[in-house]
Amino acid sequence: MLQPMSIVAPAPAAPAPPASNFPYLATLNPAQAAAVQTLDGPLLVLAGAGTGKTRVLTTRLAHLIHTRRAWPSQILAVTFTNKAAREMRERVGALVGPMAQDLWIGTFHALAARILRRHAELAGLKPNFTILDTDDQLRLLKQLMQADGIDDKRWPARVLLGVIERWKDRGLTPDKVSTDEADELAGGRALALYRAYQERLRTVNACDFGDLMLHNVNLFTAHAEILESYQKRFHYLLVDE
Ligand SMILES: Nc1ncnc2c1ncn2[C@@H]1O[C@H](COP(=O)(O)OP(=O)(O)OP(=O)(O)O)[C@@H](O)[C@H]1O
Ligand SMILES: [Mg+2]
């Protein structure tokens, strides 16, 4: 049994066209259909696990295109999984054909990588940068720790990597980390290590997952005209979280 959804949204600007024009609406329960047809202003769909949220998002995306509210290239959709992204693209593909390729759909990290590749030079990278996995990150960090004489019995690389990742998650580049906070770690060498780690990543034209976010935040903060170009481009933003 599907749970009812609570929908927080402004009233639609115009009455919805008759449902018969949109056969896919009949596959939804009334709350889902209302969410799909609410296309003006911000909309939040709040519902429990497995109640049909992704289905709402996918159908809403198709509905936006079907009603000509937006071209696929004007929609950005963030999904939790690659599977959901694929489903959305297929669904839209069935409606509009190859134009579905113009949709920007993916996980936060996939979309961040896509944006970063277009502006890589501004982050000190080349567009073909590689993305490190955890093993690569640890290998790199261990090399730097060894060079700096940091005892990895006392300060395991995994722990220090966790510290660096948390800094990144808070949007802190090395110049923004407070020295008070850093001084307590790795005998006062943690910040120098973070700086060296970032420098090495640039040298080898690579980023880690945290950088994908961090470089984007810095890109949009430092370059208002780039931020504006994306704000103009995307008329609809859908997030499945
Ligand atoms: N109105 C509906 N009628 C029939 N089946 C539905 C309906 N809405 C959703 N479903 C089915 O229910 C299942 C769960 O839907 P969906 O994945 O959209 O839920 P969800 O809220 O996104 O789940 P999760 O919390 O796991 O992300 C899917 O198999 C979907 O096809
Ligand atoms: Mg879902």
Side-chain angles (χ1 to χ4, degrees):
M1 242 341 244
L2 292 161
Q3 302 286 316
M5 295 190 158
S6 47
I7 293 165
V8 183
S20 56
N21 291 357
F22 311 110
Y24 46 84
L25 294 179
T27 68
L28 304 173
N29 67 31
Q32 288 176 315
V36 165
Q37 292 177 95
T38 305
L39 302 178
D40 292 304
L43 171 76
L44 173 68
V45 174
L46 260 181
T51 52
K53 299 180 298 294
T54 298
R55 184 158 168 150
V56 163
L57 216 89
T58 309
T59 312
R60 194 164 177 273
L61 182 62
H63 196 56
L64 281 169
I65 293 167
H66 206 52
T67 54
R68 301 185 176 259
R69 284 289 189 122
W71 295 105
S73 60
Q74 295 171 325
I75 301 174
L76 179 77
V78 186
T79 59
F80 192 59
T81 62
N82 289 316
K83 178 171 171 272
R86 208 161 42 239
E87 269 174 31
M88 284 189 197
R89 201 179 288 284
E90 280 166 13
R91 186 87 185 245
V92 174
L95 279 175
V96 300
M99 227 197 300
Q101 287 311 316
D102 297 346
L103 281 167
W104 282 53
I105 288 189
T107 59
F108 276 103
H109 287 100
L111 290 168
R114 180 169 178 180
I115 292 171
L116 191 56
R117 287 200 196 281
R118 304 172 98 216
H119 311 280
E121 322 73 45
L122 296 174
L125 297 165
K126 296 192 198 72
N128 65 345
F129 62 81
T130 50
I131 301 169
L132 264 52
D133 63 20
T134 309
D135 286 345
D136 298 331
Q137 288 178 284
L138 283 171
R139 205 170 304 125
L140 176 58
L141 200 62
K142 279 180 188 163
Q143 282 172 10
L144 296 169
M145 287 170 63
Q146 218 164 24
D148 204 21
I150 300 174
D151 177 7
D152 87 334
K153 297 270 177 335
R154 273 200 67 197
W155 294 100
R158 203 168 276 282
V159 170
L160 291 177
L161 184 59
V163 168
I164 290 175
E165 286 183 336
R166 278 192 298 280
W167 280 333
K168 289 190 179 187
D169 288 346
R170 286 161 58 201
L172 301 176
T173 43
D175 54 304
K176 291 191 189 134
V177 175
S178 87
T179 36
D180 284 355
E181 188 177 344
D183 277 350
E184 298 165 10
L185 301 157
R189 302 294 302 149
L191 192 48
L193 186 67
Y194 180 20
R195 196 167 277 123
Y197 176 80
Q198 290 306 93
E199 275 166 21
R200 182 65 70 85
L201 286 181
R202 283 217 168 88
T203 308
V204 299
N205 192 32
C207 15
D208 61 20
F209 276 99
D211 280 344
L212 291 176
M213 297 296 153
L214 193 57
H215 286 321
N216 267 268
V217 170
N218 293 337
L219 175 74
F220 289 138
T221 313
H223 301 275
E225 73 292 354
I226 295 179
L227 176 62
E228 205 184 303
S229 73
Y230 284 94
Q231 286 169 333
K232 283 210 177 107
R233 175 189 181 123
F234 294 119
H235 296 196
Y236 288 91
L237 214 96
L238 283 70
V239 183
D240 189 6
E241 260 303 299

